[in-house]
Amino acid sequence: LPMLDPAAMPAAPPMGPPPKRLTDGVATPASVEQQKRAYAQALATQLEEGKRTIKEQSDQAKAILQQQAEEKKLQYAMQIDQQLLEQEMNLNQQTHQQVMQL
């Protein structure tokens, strides 16, 4: 048997990288749960911000209504005072006329 020279033997094909696992890139149950928690927290934060914004708008609208009501009360009080002065003035004139008729 002739002696085989290892250098003369054909080289084995080079080994490529190991095959990719089919689950590579797929989310794990733990990462899915973490994403769900993060999303739920983001929604809760968004809800609270929305509630706060609506409450602030409501409070501003109430303050405007309160201010308008106070202005109307003041205007009404001024009208009543004006009417009172006119009535007093008329009564004074009547009294003066009666005195003049004496």
Side-chain angles (χ1 to χ4, degrees), residues 53-94:
T53 299
I54 290 170
K55 184 179 181 326
E56 288 171 0
Q57 290 172 346
S58 176
D59 290 347
Q60 287 175 348
K62 287 176 185 177
I64 290 169
L65 290 174
Q66 185 70 31
Q67 182 180 1
Q68 290 172 344
E70 291 300 321
E71 288 173 5
K72 286 181 182 179
K73 287 180 192 178
L74 183 60
Q75 288 174 351
Y76 185 69
M78 288 171 48
Q79 286 176 344
I80 297 299
D81 288 345
Q82 182 65 32
Q83 289 174 0
L84 175 62
L85 288 174
E86 289 173 6
Q87 291 170 351
E88 286 176 345
M89 200 164 69
N90 288 338
L91 186 59
N92 286 341
Q93 285 177 350
Q94 288 175 2

Side-chain angles (χ1 to χ4, degrees), residues 35-62:
Q35 289 173 6
K36 283 170 53 176
R37 282 192 302 271
Y39 185 67
Q41 180 61 42
L43 286 177
T45 300
Q46 187 178 12
L47 176 63
E48 289 305 313
E49 288 173 358
K51 284 180 181 179
R52 187 172 39 253
T53 299
I54 290 170
K55 184 179 181 326
E56 288 171 0
Q57 290 172 346
S58 176
D59 290 347
Q60 287 175 348
K62 287 176 185 177

Side-chain angles (χ1 to χ4, degrees), residues 16-32:
K20 280 194 160 193
R21 293 177 12 177
L22 295 177
T23 57
D24 283 352
V26 175
T28 64
S31 69
V32 169

